[in-house]
Amino acid sequence: MSGFSITWLDLREPADLGGRNIELAQKALAALRDEHRALAPRLAVDLGAGTGSTLRALLNLGGDDIIWRLVDLDGALLDEALLRHGQDFVIEDHQADLSVVEELPLSGARLVTASALFDLTSQEFLERLCERLAAQGTGLYAALNYDGTTQWQPPHPLDAQVLDAFNSDQRRDKGFGEALGPDATRALQLALEPRGYSVQIANSPWQLDGADAELVTALINGIADAVQETVDAEPLAQWRQFRLDNAGSGTCIVGHTDLLALPDAPAQS
Ligand SMILES: C[S@@+](CC[C@H](N)C(=O)[O-])C[C@H]1O[C@@H](n2cnc3c(N)ncnc32)[C@H](O)[C@@H]1O
């Protein structure tokens, strides 16, 4: 168990799919199919794969010809991914702790992928991972990294304070050391460009309205719970209630960014 339930991942997946930048996803798929980049098969290694959301996102774009190696600490999530896709895809599942970077099964990958992962990780993890990617000339497609922005409509006087407190909480250690939180995409760019990668970044915001009230409700409660030690109880309770009262009629934009980094030198098999 990792703390990420199938229910939560299913709840957020439509918002992730709607936010994910299509152009970068198409380029990621093209990189997987680029015969000049590698002799190996069209192998994608998805880190923190959960139930296979990256697989599904690329499948939506016609990516039914990719071989997947799904890596996650949570065996129940990997089992669910195999249940959903094991009949139609060649899938290798690896239950492993990503923080043990040197043992990650990256060999032969044309592209390493991840979604909603890198904001949980640390600078140290990222440097070690990028070193391995560069050593074997493998690209990285890292989608849906939280960027630290959240815009609510209608506004509430406590929005900015709650957001500051939430962004501080995002830096709590999630098993990799101090988390990168909103800095994840920029940190990836700074780690990959000097190692010979061309990096493209695009916005991939969640754009939520009354139709997403269940997700918005979970988001409000998650934020309020996360900041309860740093924001005064009474105003926070009022903020939570105001937000819940407006979940069915207001809007919420949660900023994310996608990154695609491709090596200037071709991958080796
Ligand atoms: C926010 S979820 C994203 C899951 C999936 N990529 C998606 O977009 O639905 C983060 C994922 O990373 C996995 N994870 C977190 N820490 C991990 C670690 N140290 N080693 C392996 N997987 C980890 C969790 O089990 C979870 O599946």
Side-chain angles (χ1 to χ4, degrees), residues 164-227:
D164 275 355
F166 183 64
N167 286 344
S168 296
D169 182 75
Q170 288 288 297
R171 296 180 192 283
R172 243 187 337 99
D173 186 342
K174 314 284 192 323
F176 297 87
E178 184 186 350
L180 286 162
D183 295 332
T185 297
R186 178 77 179 135
L188 278 170
Q189 180 178 22
L190 290 176
L192 287 163
E193 281 179 344
R195 291 181 165 97
Y197 282 77
S198 297
V199 174
Q200 300 170 71
I201 293 170
N203 293 325
S204 51
W206 282 2
Q207 306 197 64
L208 309 176
D209 60 22
D212 307 296
E214 196 181 347
L215 175 58
V216 173
T217 297
L219 187 62
I220 293 163
N221 286 323
I223 292 171
D225 290 349
V227 304

Side-chain angles (χ1 to χ4, degrees), residues 1-4 8-9 12-13 16 20 46-54 56 71-74 77 96-99 114-117 119-120 144 174-176:
M1 252 293 286
S2 65
F4 295 93
W8 165 246
L9 295 181
R12 61 170 291 165
E13 188 157 332
D16 283 339
R20 192 183 282 265
D46 193 35
L47 302 180
T51 67
S53 67
T54 307
R56 285 186 287 281
V71 186
D72 205 287
L73 190 56
D74 190 328
L77 298 180
D97 185 345
L98 299 178
S99 66
S115 57
L117 177 74
D119 40 40
L120 307 176
L144 295 153
K174 314 284 192 323
F176 297 87

